[in-house]
Amino acid sequence: MSDNTTQRKALQQLQDEPDQERIAYYRKPFMVLWAAVQEASSELQDDYALSPELAQLWVAEQLRQVSDSLVDRLAEIAVARGESKSNVARAAGASPDNVLRRFPRLKTNASHGRTLVDNVLDTLE
């Protein structure tokens, strides 16, 4: 059995797991993220007099945008390291037939400029 087939089967098994089993894999990182949203939003409340609800929404939206950028970057890395585009699509919950629409940077001629996650990572240096 090829590595591609093994990976595809593993992704299918993961998809077939009950919700509670799948959630267990990302429950702890989510709790850390939720705490970070609350902490960051409290600074916005203090600095801009935003309501807690709007401050949390604003922070969560910024994180969503950076996370989307991170997903795109991770897809590029996976393909560059030999994973099939079809399995990259499956891992991201997309149809293998639509992988290039979901990840336009995987196209052969695609621009590989900076992404939002690059800008965020630059601030950590």
Side-chain angles (χ1 to χ4, degrees):
M1 187 174 338
S2 73
D3 186 48
N4 183 47
T5 301
T6 302
Q7 295 297 310
R8 184 177 67 242
K9 284 185 177 188
L11 289 167
Q12 186 59 51
Q13 286 177 320
L14 184 57
Q15 183 62 34
D16 292 342
E17 290 288 332
D19 287 346
Q20 290 300 326
E21 294 294 322
R22 285 185 303 183
I23 290 170
Y25 289 110
Y26 56 85
R27 180 180 295 120
K28 287 179 185 175
F30 172 78
M31 295 307 294
V32 170
L33 178 62
W34 178 240
V37 166
Q38 291 176 338
E39 181 179 335
S41 68
S42 71
E43 291 180 33
L44 287 175
Q45 292 169 54
D46 294 342
D47 294 348
Y48 295 95
L50 278 174
S51 69
E53 296 79 13
L54 289 180
Q56 289 175 10
L57 175 61
W58 188 88
V59 170
E61 172 58 19
Q62 302 315 301
L63 287 172
R64 186 194 62 76
Q65 290 178 27
V66 173
S67 294
D68 285 350
S69 177
L70 177 60
V71 168
D72 291 343
R73 171 57 58 83
L74 293 172
E76 286 181 86
I77 291 169
V79 169
R81 293 191 178 157
E83 297 296 341
S84 72
K85 289 179 184 175
S86 294
N87 282 342
V88 166
R90 287 181 184 99
S95 165
D97 295 334
N98 295 323
V99 68
L100 295 180
R101 190 172 335 155
R102 171 63 179 86
F103 298 109
R105 291 170 57 100
L106 296 180
K107 293 178 184 171
T108 306
N109 311 1
S111 167
H112 294 282
R114 294 179 58 78
T115 61
L116 183 56
V117 73
D118 294 318
N119 297 337
V120 173
L121 291 172
D122 286 351
T123 67
L124 301 177
E125 293 177 349

